[in-house]
Amino acid sequence: MINHIAPHSANEYQPLQAPEENVNKFINSIEFIPRRQYAGMVDALDESVGKVIEALELAEMLDNSIIVFTSDNGGSPEGHGDNYGSNYPLRGVKNSLWEGGTRVAGFIWSKSLPQRVSMDLMHVQDWLPTLYEAAGGCIPNLLGIDGVSQWKTFHEGVPVRAEFLYNIDDIYNNSAFRAGPWKVLQGNATNLDLGAKFHWDLWYGPSGRSKNTSVHDLIPAIIDSAAGRALSRTGVNFNVTELKIRQSEADVKCEKPVKCINCDPYNCPCLFNIIKDPCEYNNLASEEPNILRHLLSLIKYMNRTALSPIRRYNYPEAAPQFWSNTWTNWKDFI
């Protein structure tokens, strides 16, 4: 597993860092300098991914590889953590239970998988049983886990998950649950009680869209990228028309209604139909009280077996300055 930290902000005195050659690629397309710097950071990540794919091809491992590319949470937009990401068009930010903080794009590739866009429900805990089954493991051998294998879903498009728990957090004092199209959200939706200066409950970040170009215009560069060339050399064929269709299918569209039904999860639980309203504009708690009560009862049921949060300790001696400027398992070296 490779953990890319490229799109994260760094030191307070220089939060956005990327090689100059990567930043300069966007000098004519992104006027705002911090946003351009952030684009350079993501571009460097793209290059790194390409090098990994090329290495697998050179080692003749690509035909027998499963490649997963995903994120652990939504991004931090301008003003949040010295960063310039965007969760457009979703609501909320990193470290929140809104869709913008929890819903991320995921990508899995294998020569054995059909090429398609999936909108089926999946939780991060599903990766373990999914990859275990893909490698030939017997799922019943995995005891006491909450994840479900999505391998059949990836192959056949058959949904295997109908619900999941976003989180129950006694420190943040919040919780959220999804069942079918319905999502309930309650409590401190952001980290205001932990020292944040603002509520981050709205819609932030640029769309990344241009009046003069579209994502379809990127297809030639995608095909000619290091990863694209490596895949082509192994016999993968890129059909431009099909790629355009899949780009459109993967686009999350939200039309802001003329009148929104407000949500204030700090005071009352909120209910959304995520299929019809992925951007969480309309709180349907008052219109669907039975569904709301049912989802709240599921959260209460799951919380019966929850353990107390582990105390978070502060160890100044763990600071990177004492360990060759790296975060490490410092206690092992004492």
Side-chain angles (χ1 to χ4, degrees), residues 114-120 242-243 245-251:
Q115 298 180 19
R116 70 183 188 90
V117 173
S118 172
M119 291 295 181
D120 298 308
E242 291 182 359
L243 289 177
I245 292 173
R246 284 198 289 275
Q247 283 180 325
S248 299
E249 291 174 342
D251 193 18

Side-chain angles (χ1 to χ4, degrees), residues 266-318:
Y266 301 88
N267 295 314
C268 296
C270 301
L271 181 71
F272 299 97
N273 186 319
I274 297 299
I275 300 299
K276 295 181 179 179
D277 180 26
C279 291
E280 297 169 300
Y281 284 123
N282 287 317
N283 174 22
L284 302 178
S286 61
E287 297 183 16
E288 301 288 350
N290 292 333
I291 295 175
L292 177 64
R293 281 194 295 268
H294 174 62
L295 266 60
L296 290 174
S297 69
L298 291 175
I299 291 179
K300 185 176 181 180
Y301 175 80
M302 289 190 172
N303 204 30
R304 293 180 311 124
T305 56
L307 301 176
S308 299
I310 298 175
R311 180 182 173 187
R312 294 186 293 184
Y313 294 94
N314 181 19
Y315 291 104
E317 58 269 40

Side-chain angles (χ1 to χ4, degrees), residues 166-225:
Y166 287 80
N167 201 17
I168 301 175
D169 197 308
D170 294 329
I171 295 178
Y172 280 22
N173 187 30
N174 62 26
S175 58
F177 188 84
R178 170 83 181 265
W182 299 102
K183 173 185 178 180
V184 64
L185 171 70
Q186 62 179 349
N188 179 18
T190 58
N191 56 347
L192 194 68
D193 61 348
L194 296 182
K197 297 180 181 179
F198 310 101
H199 291 282
W200 287 93
D201 296 337
L202 302 178
W203 298 263
Y204 312 96
S207 70
R209 305 298 193 266
S210 170
K211 295 181 179 179
N212 301 319
T213 61
S214 75
V215 292
H216 300 331
D217 297 326
L218 299 174
I219 289 178
I222 293 171
I223 296 175
D224 192 46
S225 67

Side-chain angles (χ1 to χ4, degrees), residues 51-123:
K51 291 176 181 178
V52 172
I53 306 303
E54 283 185 321
L56 289 172
E57 184 225 348
L58 290 172
E60 298 183 350
M61 297 172 62
L62 203 51
D63 285 348
N64 196 33
S65 292
I66 298 172
I67 299 170
V68 173
F69 186 83
T70 187
S71 179
D72 53 349
N73 47 249
S76 296
E78 179 180 356
H80 186 272
D82 294 322
N83 221 324
Y84 286 84
S86 175
N87 301 314
Y88 177 90
L90 302 177
R91 184 175 187 172
V93 298
K94 175 181 180 177
N95 210 27
S96 77
L97 293 180
W98 300 106
E99 292 297 282
T102 57
R103 180 174 180 169
V104 299
F107 173 86
I108 182 169
W109 178 89
S110 168
K111 276 199 168 182
S112 69
L113 290 174
Q115 298 180 19
R116 70 183 188 90
V117 173
S118 172
M119 291 295 181
D120 298 308
L121 281 184
M122 183 176 183
H123 194 278

